[in-house]
Structures are given as C-alpha cells and as structure tokens.
Amino acid sequence: MVTTVRHLGPNWYAAVMGTAAVATAGAALPGPRVPGLRTVCAAVWALSLLLLLALLAARALHWTHHRDQARAHLLDPAVAPFYGCLSMALLAVGGGALTVGRDWIGDDAALALDVVLFTAGTATGLAAAVAVPYLMAVRHRTMAAQATPVWLLPLVAPMVAAAVGPLLVPHLPPGQARATLLLGCVAMFGLSLLATLLMLPLVFARLITGGPLPLALTPSLFLVLGPLGQSTTAVGAFADAAPGALPAPHGEALGVLAVLYGVPVMGFALLWLGLAGAHVVRARRHGMGFAMTWWAFTFPVGTCVTGAAALARHTGLFVYDGLAVGLYGLLVAAWAVAAMHTARGLFSGALLAAPRTAPVAPRPVTVRTTSGAVR
C-alpha cells in the first residue's frame, strides 16, 4: 500500500468533487421531483464521503512515506494547482451533507459534518489561493505559452466556499453571527472572482495564440466553467440566505445581484461549453485517450447545473429549469464514463504507475550531399 500511493497526486480529489456534484446538483434540480432521485443522490453523496475518507488516508500515507515526491508535486507547475482540489473536495462533500446527506445521517450529524468540512475546506482553499500563485511566481519557471485552465483551480476554491457557506447561515444565531458569515462568503466570492478575471485572459490568450492544448489536457478546458457556474450558484445562495441575515436594503440588493450577475455569466458559460466541447471532439478525433483530466467534465458542469437552478428560482423562467435538467444529464453521463475508466485504471494499476519517461529524440545529423545541398 505504501509504494502504491507514491504517485498519488492531489488531482485525485477531482473524483470526489465530481461524485459530490452529482448528488448536490441532482438535489438542486428545479421542477417536479423525480421519484427516487433524492434517494439516489443521497447514495451518491455517501459514496463521495467514502471516497474522501479513503483519499485523505492515502494522501496521508503519501506525505508520510514519500515526502520527496510530495515536495516534487508542490514544485511542479503542472501539479501544484491541483492542491486547490483538496479544498473543493472537502467543501463539496460538506455542502452535500446538508442538502442530501441529512436524509441518511440525520440533521445534527449533517450539520456537524458540514461545519468541520466547511472550516477545513475554507482554510485550505484560502491557503492554496495564496500559496500556489506564490510558488508559481518565485519557484516555478512558467511562461505564458504554458498557461492552462488548471491554473484556475486554486483560485476557484474560495468561490466554492462562498457558494456552500450560506447553507450554514440559518443555523447561526440571528444578528452579528449570520451577517458575518454571509458577508464573509461575499468577500470570498469577490477575491475568487477578481483573481479568476486576472488569470482567465492568460488561458484564453494561450488558446488563441498557441493553438489547441495537448490531447491529455484538452478536457481541462471545462474547468473554466467552474468559476462561472459556481459564482452564479453563490450569488443565488446569497439571495436565499440574505432575508434572515441582513437588513432589507442589503438583502434586496443581493436578490437583484443574483439575476443581474447570474444571467450574463451563465450566457458566457454556455458559450465556453460550446467552445470546450468542440475542442474535445477534435481531440477525440486525434486520438485522445482517458486520463484523470476527464474528471474536469464533471464538477464544473455540476456548478452550471446549480447555477441554472438558482436562476430558475430567482427569475421564475422555465428555460432555466430545462437548462438545469439538460446540463444534469450531461453531468451524469460524464461522471459515469469517468468513474468507469478510473475504476478500470485502478484495478489494472495503470493510473497509479509512475509516469512514463518521454523517449529521448536522437540529435539531428546534418549531411552534405555531393551536389553541395544540406539535408
């Protein structure tokens, strides 16, 4: 077991995030309830909790017995951003405890679990949002041509905290406690949004000027949907929690923000979904095989489901009901494919094997022909 986890990176938390997203997004769907859907969502949430516990234990072994590899991950600009996934996994499972997990473990246990996971997830998310960009600036040697959507991961973690934090607001005493938590979530929304707006132009410029991403990284284009869908979800959650936490003018303003911010951002998310989908189709035609980046098809789409559901609540438009349901179908299909391939890779050992070393290309040889030409 100790040797098995040597190459277990923080990117594996994406599987927990994607699984929890299936549960929470399913519970958030607007419209008539599908019989049995909530029970299935509760079971999927329980699976995400088990995956989180197993992965935390495996990563603890990794840090205990393979510290050299763990430090190498932190100093690798391709791996370090995935440390944001730890925070998002904790927050996703914690938020799911209050939305669907309480059906199985009870309200008190769900609340206690969410408090623990929200606290830990928020702390690690804020730390990652500072530490990873700092490492990228002073220790990593990166260029604009290397920009990928993976760079967004540590910056999105506080946005996830902002989106799930309002679930805890009604459980606090009225007054200062509720207002402090809610406005703290608004502050995390702002810091994550502004940081994303700084990073996203680098990603888009790299895509336009540098051409398509490598095949294995192409699914990471879906990561851009994360801050878009999660921020729309967050402003909807602010509006839901505001009436019992803030005075009327501020609470009403958050209700307006949920619509005025969420509608255009969801429009851009749909544009990016089409662009990213086209790149994925191209990559598949060029031989893109399964990699753990396929989990990027899950959690970001899940945030768009909850974002569309929030817009359905605050606008009353049926079009957002249909959008949420359609995106949820895409999410479930993507999760099933990613989970199947991941399970197969685990059983075969391929996903936990050491990365393959790229073959060294022979040095070019210059040959002069009898005619004097060089080739």
Side-chain angles (χ1 to χ4, degrees):
M1 177 63 181
V2 172
T3 57
T4 302
V5 300
R6 175 168 177 78
H7 299 286
L8 183 74
N11 58 318
W12 279 80
Y13 286 112
V16 178
M17 296 159 52
T19 304
V22 172
T24 54
L29 287 177
R33 292 299 175 190
V34 178
L37 176 61
R38 188 170 178 87
T39 301
V40 172
C41 289
V44 174
W45 172 82
L47 175 61
S48 72
L49 176 60
L50 293 176
L51 290 174
L52 176 62
L53 294 175
L55 193 52
L56 287 173
R59 288 286 295 166
L61 285 175
H62 174 83
W63 270 95
T64 301
H65 298 281
H66 303 289
R67 291 184 182 179
D68 61 322
Q69 188 70 14
R71 285 192 293 268
H73 284 166
L74 279 173
L75 298 178
D76 186 344
V79 180
F82 284 100
Y83 272 90
C85 291
L86 168 60
S87 167
M88 291 186 278
L90 295 169
L91 292 165
V93 175
L98 278 184
T99 53
V100 292
R102 65 186 185 188
D103 294 353
W104 283 21
I105 64 176
D107 291 341
D108 292 340
L111 178 60
L113 180 61
D114 189 26
V115 168
V116 171
L117 295 182
F118 175 76
T119 303
T122 301
T124 55
L126 292 173
V130 174
V132 175
Y134 174 80
L135 287 174
M136 293 176 70
V138 303
R139 297 297 299 273
H140 301 166
R141 292 294 177 262
T142 57
M143 298 180 293
Q146 296 174 298
T148 73
V150 172
W151 288 9
L152 295 170
L153 286 173
L155 306 178
V156 180
M159 186 68 77
V160 180
V164 302
L167 293 172
L168 292 170
V169 169
H171 298 279
L172 293 174
Q176 288 283 325
R178 290 186 180 182
T180 299
L181 177 57
L182 182 55
L183 292 181
C185 291
V186 175
M188 288 190 288
F189 164 85
L191 76 88
S192 180
L193 177 63
L194 294 176
T196 298
L197 291 178
L198 289 174
M199 190 68 75
L200 189 55
L202 294 177
V203 175
F204 190 67
R206 153 66 182 87
L207 193 64
I208 297 299
T209 61
L213 295 177
L215 296 182
L217 280 177
T218 301
S220 70
L221 289 171
F222 274 69
L223 294 177
V224 175
L225 297 176
L228 304 176
Q230 198 65 270
S231 60
T232 305
T233 303
V235 293
F238 299 159
D240 294 338
L246 298 176
H250 299 136
E252 293 172 359
L254 289 177
V256 173
L257 178 66
V259 177
L260 294 185
Y261 174 88
V263 171
V265 170
M266 185 57 64
F268 180 67
L270 294 178
L271 169 67
W272 193 272
L273 177 63
L275 176 64
H279 275 265
V280 169
V281 171
R282 174 194 172 276
R284 284 292 287 172
R285 289 176 177 173
H286 285 75
M288 180 185 75
F290 174 74
M292 287 298 289
T293 50
W294 280 35
W295 283 100
F297 296 140
T298 58
F299 188 78
V301 175
T303 67
C304 292
V305 175
T306 54
L311 287 174
R313 290 196 309 273
H314 292 284
T315 64
L317 296 179
F318 294 136
V319 65
Y320 288 113
D321 293 21
L323 178 61
V325 172
L327 290 173
Y328 187 68
L330 178 62
L331 167 63
V332 171
W335 177 83
V337 172
M340 178 187 67
H341 283 283
T342 302
R344 183 182 300 169
L346 276 175
F347 286 125
S348 68
L351 289 180
L352 293 176
R356 295 180 180 179
T357 303
V360 178
R363 296 180 62 182
V365 178
T366 301
V367 179
R368 187 175 298 274
T369 63
T370 54
S371 64
V374 177
R375 63 180 180 179

